[in-house]
Amino acid sequence: MHALAAALRSWPMLAAFGAGLVLAALAAGAGGAMQPALVVAGVAALGWGGLAFRAGRVIAPSATLVATAAALVGMAAAVSTGAAAMTDVPPGPLAAASVFIVVVALSAGLELRARTRPARSAGRGRGDRVAATSDTARLIGLVAGAALVAALATPALAATEAGEHAVPHGSHQTGTDAPLPGVEQPGHSH
């Protein structure tokens, strides 16, 4: 169980980064009161993720739990009242941000729960082997968490207004319609 805990330790921070990026992208295309709310939530998520990643643990779990609950209630209210639709906030990316926020909220809740339990004595006599396993598990967990965040955040970002205006993936535009030197153009014979 220790290896699993080590592997999952970075996931709340990665989820906060995912939420922050998606919320910031949503803010770029939002109007009305949703825009500043999304900016604040996005910056807060990015800031918390950076500070928690640096600390290597969930920081301020009580405040984090309150903030995530408020964000989730606010997003649910925006969708249910139609405010999100009226301010051009697409529901898909908002749902993806909500998933990220739920991960952060769960981690804060688990941290609070762990603090209320009496501390268990750590395994003795395993020394370097436990540290090596823990480092390997952390690395595997970090890579797996980053892949999961990328898998959820990429389509969410693409579905925002900022993502819709991005250069189409797989094409390279030179900024002009002039043919590239040395490249045969279709329909042109020489």
Side-chain angles (χ1 to χ4, degrees):
M1 186 64 163
H2 179 52
L4 179 60
L8 300 178
R9 185 171 299 271
S10 63
W11 286 24
M13 296 77 158
L14 295 171
F17 292 147
L21 292 173
V22 173
L23 291 169
L26 285 169
M34 287 290 290
Q35 187 175 38
L38 290 167
V39 167
V40 168
V43 169
L46 290 169
W48 183 91
L51 292 172
F53 200 76
R54 179 165 163 65
R57 61 180 174 76
V58 173
I59 59 170
S62 296
T64 300
L65 195 55
V66 169
T68 55
L72 290 169
V73 167
M75 286 191 266
V79 170
S80 65
T81 63
M86 289 187 303
T87 56
D88 297 325
V89 176
L94 199 57
S98 297
V99 169
F100 289 134
I101 292 170
V102 166
V103 170
V104 174
L106 286 173
S107 68
L110 289 173
E111 179 67 23
L112 285 173
R113 182 176 176 214
R115 287 183 180 184
T116 61
R117 289 185 168 178
R120 296 181 190 172
S121 61
R124 293 181 182 94
R126 293 188 269 168
D128 292 337
R129 192 185 81 201
V130 171
T133 301
S134 182
D135 288 345
T136 302
R138 279 191 201 115
L139 180 60
I140 291 170
L142 182 64
V143 171
L148 288 171
V149 168
L152 183 58
T154 301
L157 290 169
T160 65
E161 185 176 333
E164 290 174 3
H165 292 298
V167 174
H169 302 304
S171 67
H172 300 280
Q173 297 178 351
T174 60
T176 67
D177 290 334
L180 296 173
V183 176
E184 184 69 31
Q185 299 298 312
H188 293 131
S189 59
H190 296 273

